[in-house]
Amino acid sequence: MRLSPPARCIAVTGFMATGKTTVGRLIAEKLGLDFVDTDELVEANAGRTIPAIFEEDGEAHFRDLESAALRQALGRRGRVVSTGGGMLLRDENVAELRAAGPIVCLTAAPEEILERVAGDEGRPLLNVDDPAGRIARLLRDRAEAYARADYHVDTTGLTQEQVADRLIDALAGDPRARWLCGSRTRVPVQVEGGEYDILVGSGVIDKLGDAWPAPECGRRAAIVTTDTIGPLYAERVAAALRDGGWRPTVVEVPDGEASKSLEVFGEVCDAFADAGLDRGSTVFALGGGVVGDLAGFAAATYMRGIDLVHVPTSLLAQVDSSIGGKTAIDIGAGKNLVGAFHQPRAVFTDIDVLSTLPDAEIRSGLGEIIKHACCFDAEMFAFLSERPHVFAEDDRAAREYLVARNCQIKAEVVAADPLEQGVRAVLNYGHTVGHALERGAREWGLRHGEVVAAGIVAESRLAVELGVSDDETAARQERVIAAMGLPTSVSGVDVERAREALLRDKKIVNGRLRMPLVPEIGRYVIVERVDIETVADAMLTVLD
Amino acid sequence: MRLSPPARCIAVTGFMATGKTTVGRLIAEKLGLDFVDTDELVEANAGRTIPAIFEEDGEAHFRDLESAALRQALGRRGRVVSTGGGMLLRDENVAELRAAGPIVCLTAAPEEILERVAGDEGRPLLNVDDPAGRIARLLRDRAEAYARADYHVDTTGLTQEQVADRLIDALAGDPRARWLCGSRTRVPVQVEGGEYDILVGSGVIDKLGDAWPAPECGRRAAIVTTDTIGPLYAERVAAALRDGGWRPTVVEVPDGEASKSLEVFGEVCDAFADAGLDRGSTVFALGGGVVGDLAGFAAATYMRGIDLVHVPTSLLAQVDSSIGGKTAIDIGAGKNLVGAFHQPRAVFTDIDVLSTLPDAEIRSGLGEIIKHACCFDAEMFAFLSERPHVFAEDDRAAREYLVARNCQIKAEVVAADPLEQGVRAVLNYGHTVGHALERGAREWGLRHGEVVAAGIVAESRLAVELGVSDDETAARQERVIAAMGLPTSVSGVDVERAREALLRDKKIVNGRLRMPLVPEIGRYVIVERVDIETVADAMLTVLD
């Protein structure tokens, strides 16, 4: 299932006496969402009861008030909105509801409805001589309108609790509503010889021991982390692992790229041996990209390879580097020159840790998210365009969607090309220029997400120059980057050094390069034999 | 094809005038072997011609002289022996010939035989009135005897050169004669995702460039070797690689286990980068086990893995460590604690390099050869029993057989269990006790082959103790070990330390161990739950 942006609200409607208000309230309570009933809102706004409005101003006026109340109810995110049974009669209401999220319609057998409403005076539509006939007619009249709902539950013979539970089950599988259901998202990753899961959600690190228990009680495990992340989360992870039967040891390394050295690598492996890790042990990599690379390489090579579980704590690691099985350390001759492909057995991506990240750390990961949106997902691109500051909003559903959807995209690319021999090239969008900018920077000030953003701007212009794309497509990319607070051009870069770095790109063959470019938002093409001088010209346009 | 010990000789026999002497001489010349004709030997021994012997003493006496000449001719290894057409008439001659090697029989159409012998006075059997009838009768009479030959060639219409070439083709495919044909032996190794070849033979290192050419001319390669092996062979290997289009760089590390450090590993990878090695490069590991492990791990991890070709130069590396894909380095916490499974793309095993090895280096490899013989190959065990000093004999055919057959055994085990999870356990025969002896040694004096030999003696006694085997089977193992000059017991080992090392064996579960044992020569069983104290008692019997 392709993951879609979170619904704003869940609408519960249906015929009278099907329990939509009570069930809506129950659902809201179970999911920790707010609850609004449009009938109550109409009455509160008007200062009159609905029977009074019907009597004094007629049904048409009530329907106007009802539409206004609906717009008001849908105005905030994260609500369960229950609406009167006639709400679906108006097209404009249906459009509003559709845009906001899934529509659930409750029904019941006519006899049961009649029984439920017996003696209820507050139902103006049933103040007639033949209520049973009236119910049957109304049901017939509204059948078409009710068919417009996404989910239908026949409540006949069910308790309201049972109806609520059925609905939550259905909504947890809905591409948009799932985010409101508090369910964790499982993103499966196909790799050679098997499959593993990325579990994305709130509080998943506390579930590590349940989800990845020790093969036998007391088996040793290592949590590799940094002196920045360790104090925040290592004890929580260790406690979760102890619950799962592990005897975990925390191995802390200094924060920063310098820890990706042979020396620190050796210390980590020595620590594994000292802690008694054996072939049945697991290494838990708790941290950002540096920890993932270092601990991943240690897990890949300690005793010729033991199990690895990633617990990424930076946005960049969550949406990019924890997926794909690449591990590496740096040697004197260069960064990432020594490494291994070692697929994790699982990835636990806790979106709550993003709350503690400084803004700069968030920005670091945004470059890859924009890259994925440009190349693969117009819907996510539109979502980012509408809500460029989404990560500052503290909206759990939105975060879970963005992280999970980006994991899903990366996982699909990796599955298609596990050893980085073909289509994985698409992941390089924005990076050819981005890497050159990084190398040309006069000092360490540019974040990865920032150079990638500027790289995307340059490469989107290159696509126009090559006739692969058009001005508007390039402009849209630039606009979303700017809106998200990322640079569309960079300063402090030495032009000559950046140019040299570009010309030394290892992928160049005879002055030409194979590059992924974006012909329209959400789609990529791999363009063969791009002249490197043309790329250099495009790079110049993003240098201040 | 299961490889068998080399034939001593190749026998060429056949009817008169089929060219057996000329063809035999041609074959000997082409294969670089000696040539002996039993008819010539009979005449030389008797000081008379064969017609004279027939005339003076009769055919029966000639047959006696002929049998004696045959035993004389087969007395030395590496000969082509051509014999008279009647040689196969006597059972004892056939037995002698069979034991020595394959028997080739040449035939021809009777008319062609008559034509070839026309006017030849030296053929006593044709000194009759009706030579054509006589030929037909003789052919009929001898049909049964000739059927006892292993190979038959109808020479009718062929030149002698053509007959010789056909025979050499046939013999190159013969399990015993192939070693005399100067052909290199290709041992295929099945690994996950493919197959690679071990090429065993004389001078194969000079063929490296032909057999493993650069993917494109000028591609960089590295030859990793030691300061002991490098001066002897690196330039020859480099020259061969240059012929294959490579631009090789020699990376020399100090001889000895100390080079399996993280530090030297980093230096090797830095050297790869400095030499411009990229993902299309190949690392050639030229040396013994240390180089194979170190260069193998570097190839496994440099740029997350590039191609590796082993060129093993010690007997131990040739018959054992170059096969199986295990690579490793040492860290502070222990030997081989960091490593990777990285299958080579090819192994080039040059048996000529064994000539330059000191005796102690040869002994180091004999332990594994004896282990393979005990567990897998009664025929090789018999060969070793007969020729315990075979490696001192400078017999190319015998070396090629032993190295190739041991590669074949190891390759079959590895193919069945590439990641060391099951049957590879058999390779541990002699090693449970052997490793404990090694760890208990008071000083570094015992070679790997020596502790394994003593380990085999101990474990063969353990098998008797457990009722798995019998005294004679154990005694045979001890005898061959002693005959080959390896220790059946060791001194200088601290009993307590060895005992402790044994009890700390990582494979022990609840005081019990899964061990391969030898119920009869050439076959193994995996015995479950062997009590470690019983193993310790067996170890005590080999401590001086």
Side-chain angles (χ1 to χ4, degrees), chain B residues 446-463:
Chain B
L446 290 170
R447 294 252 150 201
H448 183 69
E450 294 170 339
V451 293
V452 169
I456 289 175
V457 173
E459 296 182 20
S460 72
R461 291 173 185 166
L462 172 66

Side-chain angles (χ1 to χ4, degrees), chain A residues 374-391:
Chain A
C374 293
C375 296
F376 294 97
D377 192 342
E379 186 181 44
M380 180 165 70
F381 189 94
F383 182 86
L384 293 171
S385 302
E386 277 165 34
R387 298 176 63 186
H389 302 293
V390 59
F391 278 101

Side-chain angles (χ1 to χ4, degrees), chain A residues 270 301 303-304 327 333 337 339, chain B residues 270 301 303-304 327 333 337 339:
Chain A
D270 280 335
T301 57
M303 291 189 166
R304 298 197 185 90
T327 71
L337 264 182
Chain B
D270 280 334
T301 57
M303 291 189 165
R304 297 197 186 88
T327 72
L337 264 181

Side-chain angles (χ1 to χ4, degrees), chain B residues 63-85:
Chain B
R63 293 295 169 207
D64 288 344
L65 296 180
E66 194 181 35
S67 294
L70 178 64
R71 281 190 296 276
Q72 193 182 343
L74 299 179
R76 277 189 53 193
R77 230 173 271 294
R79 283 179 168 173
V80 175
V81 177
S82 109
T83 79

Side-chain angles (χ1 to χ4, degrees), chain A residues 118 124 267 416 486:
Chain A
E267 287 166 9
L486 289 170

Side-chain angles (χ1 to χ4, degrees), chain A residues 481-506:
Chain A
I481 286 167
M484 292 176 81
L486 289 170
T488 56
S489 63
V490 290
S491 53
V493 168
D494 182 302
V495 180
E496 264 321 299
R497 237 176 31 215
R499 213 183 116 80
E500 255 174 51
L502 189 67
L503 297 177
R504 271 204 321 271
D505 192 305
K506 271 180 264 175

Side-chain angles (χ1 to χ4, degrees), chain B residues 20 33 40 51 102 147 162 289 310 401 465:
Chain B
K20 50 190 181 294
L33 302 173
E40 288 171 10
Q162 286 172 322
H310 279 299
Y401 155 64
E465 183 65 27

